[in-house]
Amino acid sequence: MPKNKPAKKASSSKPEIANQLIIAQFFCVLYLAVTFVPLFNAMDYDAPEWLYVSLLNVVSLGFLFKHKDFFESFTLFKKAKTYLLLLVGFFLVGCLSMITAINVSESLVHLARFVNVIVAFYCLFIFIRKDPKLFFNLVCKIAIVLTVYYSWRAIQYFLGNASSARTSEFILAFPHNFSNVNIYTAYIVIQVPLVIYSLLYFKKVWKYVAILAFVMSNLALLFSASRTALLSLVIIYIITIAFLVYGIVKYKTNLKKETIFLAIFPLLAVILVLNVNRVDKNEMNSFSSLLTTKKVDFYSGKKAEENNAEVKKIISEKEKISIPPKNTAGRFSLWNLAFNAFKENPVLGVGYGNYKAVPKKEHYKNYTNSKGSFANPRRAHSDFLEKLAETGIIGFLFYVSLFVLPFLWFLGLLKREKEYAKQFLYITVFSMAVAYTFDALLNFPLERAPIQLYFVIAVVFIVAFARKNTPTKHASTPKKLHLAIFGVLLLSSFASLASNYLVLKSYQLQRNMRTDLMGKTLFSEEPLKNSYGNIKKQWTNYPQLSYVGTVNKVYLANYAIKAKKYDEALQILNEVASYNGDAHLVKAFKSEIYLNVKDNLDSVKHYSESIFSDYPAFKTNYNILKRVYRAKNDTVNLWRVMNRYTRVNYRDVNEWINKANMVYEVAKDSDRMLKVLDTALAYTSHSKKLIDAKKEVLRKLKFKSYLSKDEVKAKHQSAYDFFAKQQYEAAKKVYQEILKTNPTDYLSIQNIGIIDLIKKDYKTAITNLTRVIKANAFADGKAEYSRGYCYEQLGQIEKSKADYRKSRAKKYSQAMTLPESKYK
């Protein structure tokens, strides 16, 4: 009987991976999982994301120190040392630039974030250099999973609403879960090269999932249609397909099918995307409508013009005017601001992170916004120009070298390598860097952790692969120096951690205050959830500027106003006037205090004119000026500010209509009124609102242009008589007659709403009463009480309570007798 032989262990074709390396891969996954960090009720995703990176850096450093012998944590070869020194050099120039900074706290915020970049580069390089190919495959797989996950959001939204027209409103409603769509698309496009490499060189399941990721990422990018990302995608395709053709011709690679697929699918994707969310149901969208979406108002007007002879005539009669070039208020304007700031401080710049604080008078003079809302551009939309402005020529040279040096190393890699598959790997990493570089030329990826980390990894791969295979001896570094280096990295990371934590807390407080204040009238009895004293207890003065670059303490002043501590509010506003270069919001709130409390029209005029001269499109301030000049019966200055506002902010359709109505109200000149509307149509062609406004005027002119005050008064008496006899339909007809020629007679609108309420047509009543409330036509609170009653009858209790509270704030008698349960 044969003796039992010991069973032979099956030999594995894959080498075992050390536990330390497995954990290092897990850290790499954690770095790239930064997009899954929740908002934590902050104003922007950047705060929690950078805090997450800070925490991860601290833990990574601890892990590397514990396993310093395995990872050779304090041994860096020449290229790694060089790049690390460039990062540190740029950081030190940024520190030096604080000498000329407008707001030092803002410099500290952004320098703390750049510390994250330096430490992340160090940690990821130490991890990856142990086995660059292993980590490259890992990053490819992470990219596949992430692109599938995030691309699905765009596909689900756009295909799921395939019948919805591709309008600006529709695009803005896209729930991408990034701060804006440019960040979303930049994040996807920087991963596309990794997905392409995977579908070419991975096997079995991963290859097919990579194909799916490629298809989905292309569709997501086309649906989202961010121009910078699409430009990057085109460049990536040119590089990739050119190199694939080169491989087929020179190396006879077996990648012909994949090359044909990569060349043809984008064209098919474009055709698909142009046939979804059609603006015109009878034909596919144009490529320009994909890249430059318009509002519903534009498309509605255009359709009306095409199908209606009367509308064609109305459009054809518009004034001939010269529209300002769009580049005066877009990216070109922001770049010009950055370059001018650089010229003022060419050596040290205006201070790292201080672009948001520089005066923007040149930009605001031509700024246009359809709603006239306040805007403070916090980025130059070009990291290159922004860093030139913020750190001067020395910092700029350091920053540019962070791109140039890896490119030179990449060229050396490509020249040295003879194997095509490895060459394509290097092309993949280079394409990632190209996608980031284009975004940095036109956007601000340096401030966005998810995109920045992919660029860091791209550079790490270039540096790691650039190391020659021949063993090199490294000069031993003294142990004390090891500890000193580690200590500096760790202390810097903790400082960054503290800064990022404070920024997160500030962002959370800003969100809390903004939510509380939104929609509330400052100078009213309408209560807020937070008291002034409570906000003061939570207050931190770091950073001094809000997430968009306006002075943070403006929020605190708002609470002081609500607490009727007006002098304290003015004191706060006076103290923070120098926190940024413009301080438009500071002046605006001072103006409101003098208008609503101090009754000092001269001071109101002083502050509001100061803002208006720099920033005519700021509508809240513009409305204050209109109130001042109407109160003073100063029609000359009233027309001056109205003319300048509409000339600069020509996209504000509603204000053109208000201006036309004002012209008629004051001058009773229908020809002049029509001329205003024709000018408006010249500026904003195809606006359905403007077309309808002109049609209404022309219709009225056919029989009578306007009712005099006496005629209106007589008709109101007639309607009241019908109302008293409960002849509601007869009363309603009289009110409607008034509105035919006097469309802004809000007493008629309110009374029609009350008749609808009596007839229990609550939804129609709400529509009419809302018009009155939005116009702020009456101060007695009757409209708010009536609308609240309608909401209550429809079961919309929270809306009902809100209206009852507003009515009580205006001391309306019926609202004052309500039980607490109705309004609390």
Side-chain angles (χ1 to χ4, degrees), residues 483-534:
L483 293 172
I485 292 170
F486 178 80
V488 169
L489 288 172
L490 193 62
L491 286 172
S492 300
S493 295
F494 274 117
S496 173
L497 180 66
S499 172
N500 289 323
Y501 175 74
L502 289 174
V503 171
L504 175 64
K505 297 301 290 182
S506 177
Y507 275 26
Q508 288 172 330
L509 182 59
Q510 287 174 48
R511 168 75 72 179
N512 184 13
M513 293 187 295
R514 186 179 177 184
T515 304
D516 196 11
L517 291 163
M518 192 174 290
K520 307 286 174 49
T521 305
L522 279 182
F523 299 91
S524 74
E525 299 298 324
E526 194 174 5
L528 299 175
K529 289 182 181 178
N530 300 296
S531 69
Y532 177 47
N534 184 30

Short mmCIF file of all heavy atoms in Angstrom, two decimals, residues 483-534:
data_model
loop_
_atom_site.label_atom_id
_atom_site.label_comp_id
_atom_site.label_asym_id
_atom_site.label_seq_id
_atom_site.Cartn_x
_atom_site.Cartn_y
_atom_site.Cartn_z
N LEU A 483 12.96 63.10 11.58
CA LEU A 483 11.95 63.48 12.57
C LEU A 483 11.49 64.93 12.36
O LEU A 483 10.32 65.25 12.52
CB LEU A 483 12.50 63.30 13.98
CG LEU A 483 12.77 61.84 14.40
CD1 LEU A 483 13.50 61.80 15.74
CD2 LEU A 483 11.47 61.06 14.49
N ALA A 484 12.45 65.79 11.99
CA ALA A 484 12.11 67.20 11.76
C ALA A 484 11.15 67.33 10.57
O ALA A 484 10.15 68.07 10.63
CB ALA A 484 13.38 68.02 11.52
N ILE A 485 11.47 66.60 9.48
CA ILE A 485 10.62 66.65 8.28
C ILE A 485 9.22 66.15 8.61
O ILE A 485 8.22 66.77 8.27
CB ILE A 485 11.24 65.82 7.14
CG1 ILE A 485 12.53 66.48 6.65
CG2 ILE A 485 10.25 65.67 5.98
CD1 ILE A 485 13.33 65.62 5.70
N PHE A 486 9.18 65.00 9.30
CA PHE A 486 7.89 64.43 9.67
C PHE A 486 7.12 65.39 10.59
O PHE A 486 5.91 65.59 10.43
CB PHE A 486 8.08 63.08 10.36
CG PHE A 486 6.78 62.47 10.81
CD1 PHE A 486 5.96 61.81 9.91
CD2 PHE A 486 6.36 62.58 12.13
CE1 PHE A 486 4.75 61.26 10.32
CE2 PHE A 486 5.16 62.03 12.55
CZ PHE A 486 4.36 61.37 11.63
N GLY A 487 7.84 66.00 11.52
CA GLY A 487 7.20 66.94 12.45
C GLY A 487 6.59 68.12 11.73
O GLY A 487 5.47 68.54 12.04
N VAL A 488 7.32 68.67 10.74
CA VAL A 488 6.80 69.81 9.98
C VAL A 488 5.56 69.40 9.20
O VAL A 488 4.55 70.12 9.18
CB VAL A 488 7.89 70.34 9.01
CG1 VAL A 488 7.29 71.34 8.02
CG2 VAL A 488 9.02 71.00 9.79
N LEU A 489 5.61 68.23 8.55
CA LEU A 489 4.45 67.76 7.79
C LEU A 489 3.24 67.55 8.69
O LEU A 489 2.12 67.94 8.35
CB LEU A 489 4.79 66.44 7.07
CG LEU A 489 5.73 66.53 5.87
CD1 LEU A 489 6.12 65.14 5.39
CD2 LEU A 489 5.09 67.31 4.73
N LEU A 490 3.48 66.95 9.85
CA LEU A 490 2.38 66.65 10.77
C LEU A 490 1.79 67.94 11.36
O LEU A 490 0.57 68.11 11.40
CB LEU A 490 2.86 65.72 11.88
CG LEU A 490 1.76 65.08 12.73
CD1 LEU A 490 0.87 64.20 11.87
CD2 LEU A 490 2.37 64.26 13.87
N LEU A 491 2.68 68.86 11.80
CA LEU A 491 2.19 70.12 12.37
C LEU A 491 1.42 70.94 11.33
O LEU A 491 0.39 71.54 11.62
CB LEU A 491 3.36 70.94 12.92
CG LEU A 491 3.97 70.44 14.24
CD1 LEU A 491 5.23 71.21 14.57
CD2 LEU A 491 2.95 70.56 15.38
N SER A 492 1.94 70.95 10.09
CA SER A 492 1.25 71.67 9.00
C SER A 492 -0.12 71.06 8.74
O SER A 492 -1.10 71.78 8.52
CB SER A 492 2.09 71.61 7.72
OG SER A 492 3.34 72.20 7.91
N SER A 493 -0.17 69.72 8.81
CA SER A 493 -1.45 69.04 8.58
C SER A 493 -2.45 69.35 9.68
O SER A 493 -3.65 69.55 9.41
CB SER A 493 -1.24 67.52 8.48
OG SER A 493 -0.47 67.21 7.35
N PHE A 494 -1.96 69.41 10.91
CA PHE A 494 -2.86 69.76 12.02
C PHE A 494 -3.34 71.21 11.91
O PHE A 494 -4.51 71.52 12.20
CB PHE A 494 -2.18 69.52 13.37
CG PHE A 494 -2.30 68.11 13.86
CD1 PHE A 494 -1.18 67.32 14.04
CD2 PHE A 494 -3.54 67.56 14.14
CE1 PHE A 494 -1.28 66.00 14.49
CE2 PHE A 494 -3.67 66.25 14.59
CZ PHE A 494 -2.53 65.47 14.76
N ALA A 495 -2.44 72.10 11.48
CA ALA A 495 -2.84 73.50 11.27
C ALA A 495 -3.89 73.60 10.17
O ALA A 495 -4.88 74.33 10.29
CB ALA A 495 -1.61 74.34 10.92
N SER A 496 -3.66 72.84 9.10
CA SER A 496 -4.63 72.79 8.00
C SER A 496 -5.95 72.23 8.48
O SER A 496 -7.03 72.73 8.12
CB SER A 496 -4.07 71.94 6.86
OG SER A 496 -5.03 71.75 5.86
N LEU A 497 -5.88 71.19 9.31
CA LEU A 497 -7.08 70.57 9.87
C LEU A 497 -7.89 71.58 10.68
O LEU A 497 -9.11 71.69 10.54
CB LEU A 497 -6.68 69.38 10.74
CG LEU A 497 -7.79 68.58 11.42
CD1 LEU A 497 -8.65 67.86 10.40
CD2 LEU A 497 -7.19 67.56 12.39
N ALA A 498 -7.19 72.34 11.52
CA ALA A 498 -7.86 73.34 12.36
C ALA A 498 -8.52 74.41 11.49
O ALA A 498 -9.68 74.80 11.72
CB ALA A 498 -6.85 73.97 13.31
N SER A 499 -7.80 74.89 10.47
CA SER A 499 -8.34 75.92 9.58
C SER A 499 -9.57 75.40 8.85
O SER A 499 -10.61 76.07 8.80
CB SER A 499 -7.28 76.36 8.57
OG SER A 499 -7.85 77.21 7.59
N ASN A 500 -9.46 74.21 8.29
CA ASN A 500 -10.59 73.65 7.52
C ASN A 500 -11.79 73.37 8.41
O ASN A 500 -12.94 73.49 7.96
CB ASN A 500 -10.15 72.37 6.81
CG ASN A 500 -9.20 72.66 5.66
OD1 ASN A 500 -9.36 73.65 4.95
ND2 ASN A 500 -8.21 71.81 5.47
N TYR A 501 -11.54 73.02 9.66
CA TYR A 501 -12.66 72.80 10.59
C TYR A 501 -13.38 74.12 10.87
O TYR A 501 -14.62 74.18 10.87
CB TYR A 501 -12.14 72.19 11.90
CG TYR A 501 -13.22 72.03 12.95
CD1 TYR A 501 -14.18 71.04 12.85
CD2 TYR A 501 -13.28 72.91 14.05
CE1 TYR A 501 -15.19 70.92 13.80
CE2 TYR A 501 -14.28 72.79 15.00
CZ TYR A 501 -15.23 71.79 14.87
OH TYR A 501 -16.23 71.68 15.81
N LEU A 502 -12.61 75.18 11.11
CA LEU A 502 -13.22 76.49 11.37
C LEU A 502 -14.00 77.00 10.15
O LEU A 502 -15.06 77.62 10.29
CB LEU A 502 -12.15 77.50 11.77
CG LEU A 502 -11.52 77.29 13.16
CD1 LEU A 502 -10.37 78.27 13.37
CD2 LEU A 502 -12.56 77.46 14.26
N VAL A 503 -13.47 76.74 8.97
CA VAL A 503 -14.17 77.14 7.75
C VAL A 503 -15.50 76.39 7.63
O VAL A 503 -16.53 76.97 7.29
CB VAL A 503 -13.29 76.89 6.50
CG1 VAL A 503 -14.10 77.11 5.22
CG2 VAL A 503 -12.09 77.82 6.50
N LEU A 504 -15.47 75.08 7.93
CA LEU A 504 -16.71 74.30 7.89
C LEU A 504 -17.74 74.87 8.87
O LEU A 504 -18.91 75.05 8.52
CB LEU A 504 -16.43 72.83 8.21
CG LEU A 504 -17.68 71.93 8.31
CD1 LEU A 504 -18.40 71.86 6.97
CD2 LEU A 504 -17.31 70.54 8.80
N LYS A 505 -17.31 75.17 10.09
CA LYS A 505 -18.23 75.72 11.09
C LYS A 505 -18.80 77.06 10.61
O LYS A 505 -19.98 77.34 10.81
CB LYS A 505 -17.52 75.90 12.44
CG LYS A 505 -17.03 74.61 13.09
CD LYS A 505 -18.15 73.62 13.35
CE LYS A 505 -19.08 74.05 14.44
NZ LYS A 505 -20.13 73.05 14.71
N SER A 506 -17.95 77.87 10.01
CA SER A 506 -18.40 79.16 9.49
C SER A 506 -19.41 78.96 8.36
O SER A 506 -20.44 79.64 8.30
CB SER A 506 -17.21 79.98 8.98
OG SER A 506 -17.64 81.19 8.41
N TYR A 507 -19.13 78.02 7.46
CA TYR A 507 -20.04 77.73 6.35
C TYR A 507 -21.39 77.22 6.87
O TYR A 507 -22.44 77.54 6.31
CB TYR A 507 -19.44 76.67 5.42
CG TYR A 507 -18.49 77.20 4.36
CD1 TYR A 507 -17.80 78.39 4.56
CD2 TYR A 507 -18.29 76.52 3.18
CE1 TYR A 507 -16.93 78.88 3.59
CE2 TYR A 507 -17.42 76.99 2.21
CZ TYR A 507 -16.74 78.16 2.42
OH TYR A 507 -15.89 78.63 1.46
N GLN A 508 -21.34 76.42 7.94
CA GLN A 508 -22.59 75.90 8.52
C GLN A 508 -23.41 77.04 9.13
O GLN A 508 -24.63 77.08 8.98
CB GLN A 508 -22.27 74.83 9.56
CG GLN A 508 -21.77 73.53 8.96
CD GLN A 508 -21.28 72.56 10.02
OE1 GLN A 508 -20.80 72.96 11.08
NE2 GLN A 508 -21.38 71.27 9.73
N LEU A 509 -22.73 77.94 9.82
CA LEU A 509 -23.42 79.09 10.42
C LEU A 509 -23.99 79.98 9.32
O LEU A 509 -25.12 80.47 9.42
CB LEU A 509 -22.47 79.89 11.31
CG LEU A 509 -23.07 81.09 12.04
CD1 LEU A 509 -24.22 80.66 12.95
CD2 LEU A 509 -22.00 81.82 12.85
N GLN A 510 -23.22 80.17 8.23
CA GLN A 510 -23.71 80.97 7.11
C GLN A 510 -24.97 80.36 6.51
O GLN A 510 -25.92 81.06 6.17
CB GLN A 510 -22.63 81.09 6.04
CG GLN A 510 -21.47 82.00 6.42
CD GLN A 510 -20.37 81.96 5.38
OE1 GLN A 510 -20.61 82.07 4.19
NE2 GLN A 510 -19.13 81.80 5.84
N ARG A 511 -24.96 79.03 6.35
CA ARG A 511 -26.14 78.35 5.81
C ARG A 511 -27.34 78.54 6.73
O ARG A 511 -28.45 78.81 6.28
CB ARG A 511 -25.83 76.86 5.64
CG ARG A 511 -27.02 75.98 5.35
CD ARG A 511 -27.52 76.11 3.94
NE ARG A 511 -26.62 75.49 2.99
CZ ARG A 511 -26.82 75.44 1.68
NH1 ARG A 511 -27.90 75.99 1.17
NH2 ARG A 511 -25.95 74.86 0.88
N ASN A 512 -27.10 78.39 8.02
CA ASN A 512 -28.17 78.56 9.01
C ASN A 512 -28.76 79.96 8.94
O ASN A 512 -29.98 80.15 8.91
CB ASN A 512 -27.59 78.28 10.41
CG ASN A 512 -28.65 78.33 11.49
OD1 ASN A 512 -29.84 78.35 11.21
ND2 ASN A 512 -28.22 78.36 12.74
N MET A 513 -27.88 80.97 8.88
CA MET A 513 -28.34 82.36 8.84
C MET A 513 -29.04 82.68 7.52
O MET A 513 -30.07 83.34 7.50
CB MET A 513 -27.16 83.31 9.06
CG MET A 513 -26.56 83.24 10.45
SD MET A 513 -25.30 84.51 10.74
CE MET A 513 -24.02 84.02 9.59
N ARG A 514 -28.46 82.20 6.44
CA ARG A 514 -29.04 82.49 5.12
C ARG A 514 -30.44 81.88 5.00
O ARG A 514 -31.36 82.52 4.49
CB ARG A 514 -28.12 81.95 4.03
CG ARG A 514 -28.56 82.34 2.64
CD ARG A 514 -27.61 81.81 1.60
NE ARG A 514 -28.08 82.13 0.26
CZ ARG A 514 -27.48 81.72 -0.84
NH1 ARG A 514 -26.39 81.00 -0.77
NH2 ARG A 514 -27.95 82.03 -2.03
N THR A 515 -30.59 80.64 5.47
CA THR A 515 -31.90 79.99 5.45
C THR A 515 -32.90 80.75 6.30
O THR A 515 -34.06 80.93 5.93
CB THR A 515 -31.78 78.53 5.95
OG1 THR A 515 -30.80 77.84 5.17
CG2 THR A 515 -33.10 77.81 5.85
N ASP A 516 -32.42 81.22 7.44
CA ASP A 516 -33.27 81.95 8.38
C ASP A 516 -33.72 83.29 7.80
O ASP A 516 -34.88 83.71 7.94
CB ASP A 516 -32.51 82.16 9.69
CG ASP A 516 -33.40 82.56 10.85
OD1 ASP A 516 -34.64 82.48 10.70
OD2 ASP A 516 -32.87 82.95 11.89
N LEU A 517 -32.79 83.99 7.13
CA LEU A 517 -33.07 85.34 6.63
C LEU A 517 -33.77 85.35 5.28
O LEU A 517 -34.41 86.34 4.92
CB LEU A 517 -31.76 86.13 6.51
CG LEU A 517 -31.06 86.51 7.83
CD1 LEU A 517 -29.62 86.90 7.58
CD2 LEU A 517 -31.82 87.64 8.52
N MET A 518 -33.65 84.25 4.54
CA MET A 518 -34.16 84.24 3.17
C MET A 518 -35.68 84.48 3.14
O MET A 518 -36.45 83.84 3.85
CB MET A 518 -33.84 82.90 2.50
CG MET A 518 -34.09 82.91 0.99
SD MET A 518 -33.54 81.36 0.23
CE MET A 518 -31.77 81.53 0.38
N GLY A 519 -36.08 85.41 2.29
CA GLY A 519 -37.50 85.70 2.13
C GLY A 519 -38.09 86.56 3.22
O GLY A 519 -39.28 86.89 3.19
N LYS A 520 -37.28 86.94 4.21
CA LYS A 520 -37.78 87.75 5.32
C LYS A 520 -37.52 89.23 5.05
O LYS A 520 -36.49 89.59 4.48
CB LYS A 520 -37.10 87.35 6.64
CG LYS A 520 -37.16 85.85 6.95
CD LYS A 520 -38.52 85.42 7.39
CE LYS A 520 -38.63 83.92 7.56
NZ LYS A 520 -37.61 83.27 8.32
N THR A 521 -38.44 90.08 5.48
CA THR A 521 -38.25 91.52 5.37
C THR A 521 -37.53 92.00 6.63
O THR A 521 -38.01 91.79 7.74
CB THR A 521 -39.60 92.23 5.23
OG1 THR A 521 -40.30 91.66 4.12
CG2 THR A 521 -39.42 93.72 5.01
N LEU A 522 -36.38 92.63 6.44
CA LEU A 522 -35.57 93.02 7.59
C LEU A 522 -36.29 94.00 8.51
O LEU A 522 -36.27 93.86 9.72
CB LEU A 522 -34.24 93.64 7.12
CG LEU A 522 -33.12 92.68 6.71
CD1 LEU A 522 -31.89 93.47 6.32
CD2 LEU A 522 -32.79 91.70 7.82
N PHE A 523 -36.93 94.98 7.92
CA PHE A 523 -37.54 96.04 8.72
C PHE A 523 -39.03 95.74 8.94
O PHE A 523 -39.91 96.51 8.55
CB PHE A 523 -37.32 97.39 8.05
CG PHE A 523 -35.87 97.73 7.90
CD1 PHE A 523 -35.17 97.37 6.75
CD2 PHE A 523 -35.17 98.37 8.91
CE1 PHE A 523 -33.83 97.67 6.61
CE2 PHE A 523 -33.84 98.66 8.79
CZ PHE A 523 -33.15 98.31 7.64
N SER A 524 -39.30 94.59 9.53
CA SER A 524 -40.67 94.19 9.85
C SER A 524 -40.66 93.41 11.15
O SER A 524 -39.60 93.12 11.70
CB SER A 524 -41.25 93.33 8.71
OG SER A 524 -40.67 92.03 8.75
N GLU A 525 -41.83 93.05 11.60
CA GLU A 525 -41.96 92.28 12.85
C GLU A 525 -41.87 90.78 12.60
O GLU A 525 -42.03 89.99 13.52
CB GLU A 525 -43.29 92.61 13.52
CG GLU A 525 -43.46 94.06 13.91
CD GLU A 525 -42.42 94.52 14.92
OE1 GLU A 525 -42.04 93.72 15.80
OE2 GLU A 525 -41.97 95.68 14.82
N GLU A 526 -41.64 90.38 11.37
CA GLU A 526 -41.58 88.95 11.03
C GLU A 526 -40.45 88.29 11.80
O GLU A 526 -39.29 88.69 11.69
CB GLU A 526 -41.36 88.80 9.52
CG GLU A 526 -41.60 87.41 9.01
CD GLU A 526 -41.51 87.35 7.49
OE1 GLU A 526 -41.17 88.39 6.87
OE2 GLU A 526 -41.79 86.30 6.93
N PRO A 527 -40.76 87.27 12.63
CA PRO A 527 -39.72 86.69 13.49
C PRO A 527 -38.73 85.80 12.74
O PRO A 527 -39.04 85.26 11.69
CB PRO A 527 -40.54 85.86 14.49
CG PRO A 527 -41.76 85.47 13.72
CD PRO A 527 -42.06 86.62 12.81
N LEU A 528 -37.53 85.68 13.31
CA LEU A 528 -36.51 84.76 12.81
C LEU A 528 -36.36 83.60 13.80
O LEU A 528 -36.71 83.72 14.97
CB LEU A 528 -35.17 85.49 12.67
CG LEU A 528 -35.12 86.67 11.70
CD1 LEU A 528 -33.75 87.34 11.79
CD2 LEU A 528 -35.39 86.22 10.27
N LYS A 529 -35.83 82.50 13.34
CA LYS A 529 -35.62 81.35 14.22
C LYS A 529 -34.50 81.63 15.22
O LYS A 529 -34.54 81.19 16.36
CB LYS A 529 -35.28 80.11 13.39
CG LYS A 529 -36.45 79.56 12.59
CD LYS A 529 -36.05 78.31 11.83
CE LYS A 529 -37.23 77.77 11.02
NZ LYS A 529 -36.85 76.58 10.23
N ASN A 530 -33.47 82.33 14.76
CA ASN A 530 -32.32 82.64 15.62
C ASN A 530 -32.40 84.08 16.12
O ASN A 530 -32.76 84.98 15.36
CB ASN A 530 -31.01 82.45 14.85
CG ASN A 530 -30.84 81.04 14.34
OD1 ASN A 530 -30.74 80.10 15.11
ND2 ASN A 530 -30.83 80.88 13.02
N SER A 531 -32.02 84.27 17.35
CA SER A 531 -31.97 85.64 17.89
C SER A 531 -30.59 86.24 17.63
O SER A 531 -29.63 85.52 17.37
CB SER A 531 -32.25 85.62 19.39
OG SER A 531 -31.17 85.00 20.08
N TYR A 532 -30.52 87.54 17.75
CA TYR A 532 -29.24 88.24 17.59
C TYR A 532 -28.23 87.75 18.62
O TYR A 532 -27.07 87.46 18.29
CB TYR A 532 -29.49 89.75 17.72
CG TYR A 532 -28.25 90.60 17.66
CD1 TYR A 532 -27.28 90.42 16.67
CD2 TYR A 532 -28.04 91.62 18.60
CE1 TYR A 532 -26.15 91.22 16.61
CE2 TYR A 532 -26.92 92.44 18.54
CZ TYR A 532 -25.98 92.23 17.55
OH TYR A 532 -24.86 93.02 17.49
N GLY A 533 -28.67 87.61 19.86
CA GLY A 533 -27.76 87.14 20.92
C GLY A 533 -27.26 85.75 20.66
O GLY A 533 -26.08 85.44 20.88
N ASN A 534 -28.11 84.86 20.15
CA ASN A 534 -27.72 83.49 19.85
C ASN A 534 -26.67 83.45 18.75
O ASN A 534 -25.69 82.70 18.82
CB ASN A 534 -28.97 82.69 19.44
CG ASN A 534 -28.66 81.23 19.20
OD1 ASN A 534 -27.76 80.67 19.81
ND2 ASN A 534 -29.39 80.62 18.29
#
